[in-house]
Amino acid sequence: MPKQVTPLTDTRIKALKPKPARYPVSDGGGLLLEVMPSGSKIWRFRYSLHGKRQPTVTIGDYPAISLQLARDRARKYTEIVAQGVSPVADARQDRGAERISDTVSDFATIWLAAEIEGKSESYSRTTRRALDKDVLPAIGNKRLADVTPGDVLAICDKIKGRGSPKMALTTRNVIKRLYEFAIARQGATINPAQSVAARFIATQESRTRVLAPDEIGTMLRAVYASNVRRPLKLALHLLVLTMVRKSELIEARWEQFDLDAAIWRIPADAMKMRKEHWVYLSTQAVEMLRELREIGGATYVFPSSRGRIEAPIAKPTLNTAVKSLGLEMEHFVLHDFRRTASTHLHEMGLPSDAIEKALAHQIKGIKGVYNRAEYAEERKRILQHWAEFVGAQIDEGRKVVLGQFGKAA
């Protein structure tokens, strides 16, 4: 009795994993799906003619050739074989007629189905975004063979012009992978992204990102209107107001604070320059810290909610919180808050040396010889002025944002 074959399904096909050697999986009726070591899956038709087993006939790749279409072809070839004729010529003609459209847009659809299978949500989202936002609008209607390295570079230059060299490089890599897929399936012969070197796209230039006043307000309003935990909302706001580095904030201990005197003394071993640094807290910052004192841990201002032993929140926590807001602020990282504060305070005409000391920057020359409390009064005035400036940016757009900005937020 012949072995019973379980028909394939799309779910089962997608679950098939590559092995060191190619292997076939039968759908019945002579139809096979061959799984290659590379992970690609190819439909084949197995048949005998005049009592002799013949070489398999290639139908095409999955998912470019769907399960249903592959079955239709297998039935057609079975009928041809029944007439004593080889289906090879018909299969060759069918592959030509069924050949994937050679435009970038049409081929990208097929590539995506294979590329993002089993990949993370973040990877899939980034790949789709690169295609939909930049690649397809620029070259989607072009034939694969007509795309040049100049086209790829033009796409990358446009993205760099938005201040996103990292995304430009990511997009170059998306195009490169798409063409590698096309070349492997004879949809293209040359990879135009291959000759566009990474050094032409993303260089190690110093970062210059500064948030405009309205961007400061937009971000903090979004923070308070979000579902982010209240301590993390206050952490992001304090990161702006205190002008400290992220690591200095998340590792802050209550023993470092004198809220009555409005001073935060950061010990030398917690500072980048290994010198004790005093932060003169604004009234707004003190109010937030008093709230955190009521809801926070015994040791850390921002204790982790995981584990039994008290520890500060993880380093990526605040970055993750900002990403969850879904804001379109390209080329921005949390460290840019410090540059933002410095830039705006200098533009306001406030004393440069005091601003640099507030940022814990080292000043060269004779001015660099100072005690930890030097410029104290000016630094108090600067941080209070900055807190009020930031508050004004938040207030500017409150009328269009739902949610409270007090303790209930």
Side-chain angles (χ1 to χ4, degrees), residues 26-334:
S26 178
D27 184 60
L31 181 62
L32 305 171
L33 184 66
E34 196 167 41
V35 182
M36 312 300 285
S38 64
S40 62
K41 298 162 185 174
I42 304 172
W43 293 114
R44 315 268 193 203
F45 177 68
R46 183 170 56 195
Y47 70 104
S48 296
L49 192 62
H50 307 306
K52 296 179 66 175
R53 176 60 59 88
Q54 304 294 315
T56 58
V57 171
T58 298
I59 296 175
D61 290 0
Y62 177 88
I65 302 296
S66 68
L67 173 59
Q68 186 57 54
L69 181 56
R71 284 172 175 166
D72 291 343
R73 292 284 167 80
R75 279 193 291 269
K76 173 184 174 181
Y77 301 154
T78 299
E79 292 172 0
I80 292 173
V81 170
Q83 297 171 20
V85 179
S86 169
V88 171
D90 290 81
R92 187 179 296 116
Q93 184 178 0
D94 287 339
R95 288 199 302 275
E98 186 60 33
R99 201 177 193 104
I100 303 166
S101 173
D102 59 359
T103 65
V104 174
S105 181
D106 287 342
F107 199 89
T109 301
I110 304 302
W111 175 68
L112 265 180
E115 171 73 358
I116 67 175
E117 178 66 28
K119 299 294 196 303
S120 69
E121 182 181 347
S122 174
Y123 176 90
S124 301
R125 183 171 59 250
T126 299
T127 301
R128 288 183 182 278
R129 181 190 176 206
L131 287 170
D132 294 342
K133 187 171 183 179
D134 294 294
V135 177
L136 298 183
I139 60 173
N141 292 328
K142 281 196 168 190
R143 294 175 60 247
L144 285 166
D146 292 340
V147 177
T148 67
D151 293 325
V152 178
L153 192 56
I155 292 170
C156 295
D157 284 344
K158 183 178 179 181
I159 300 171
K160 282 175 65 179
R162 299 200 300 258
S164 301
K166 192 173 179 181
M167 188 63 198
L169 184 57
T170 296
T171 302
R172 190 288 303 256
N173 292 340
V174 166
I175 299 172
K176 185 178 177 183
R177 292 196 302 274
L178 186 153
Y179 268 86
E180 288 170 350
F181 182 88
I183 290 170
R185 286 152 183 77
Q186 299 182 346
T189 56
I190 297 175
N191 191 330
Q194 185 71 47
S195 57
V196 180
R199 67 178 181 275
F200 296 149
I201 302 171
T203 56
Q204 296 298 319
E205 298 174 354
S206 61
R207 292 183 53 82
T208 57
R209 182 69 161 101
V210 173
L211 293 179
D214 63 315
E215 288 182 308
I216 298 172
T218 296
M219 175 170 286
L220 288 175
R221 288 195 302 274
V223 166
Y224 280 109
S226 72
N227 292 323
V228 171
R229 290 190 294 119
R230 177 69 179 178
L232 300 185
K233 293 179 181 181
L234 296 177
L236 289 165
H237 200 160
L238 282 167
L239 194 61
V240 179
L241 298 190
T242 59
M243 297 159 45
V244 298
R245 297 176 179 85
K246 182 181 70 171
S247 61
E248 294 157 7
L249 181 73
I250 65 177
E251 295 172 6
R253 297 169 176 259
W254 285 117
E255 64 189 27
Q256 300 168 2
F257 291 85
D258 183 342
L259 296 184
D260 292 332
I263 295 177
W264 173 15
R265 299 178 179 88
I266 307 178
D269 60 3
M271 294 297 298
K272 180 180 179 181
M273 302 305 295
R274 292 297 182 257
K275 290 184 178 180
E276 184 181 47
H277 177 60
W278 290 15
V279 179
Y280 295 92
L281 302 167
S282 63
T283 56
Q284 292 89 334
V286 170
E287 182 181 351
M288 293 178 199
L289 286 162
R290 289 194 187 282
E291 180 183 344
L292 286 164
R293 194 72 183 91
E294 295 176 5
I295 63 177
T299 303
Y300 292 99
V301 179
F302 301 102
S304 172
S305 58
R306 300 177 180 179
R308 295 181 180 179
I309 300 175
E310 189 174 357
I313 57 176
K315 291 182 179 179
T317 302
L318 296 184
N319 301 72
T320 302
V322 170
K323 286 181 180 179
S324 72
L325 303 178
L327 295 174
E328 286 291 332
M329 287 190 181
E330 294 183 312
H331 200 39
F332 167 79
V333 295
L334 290 178

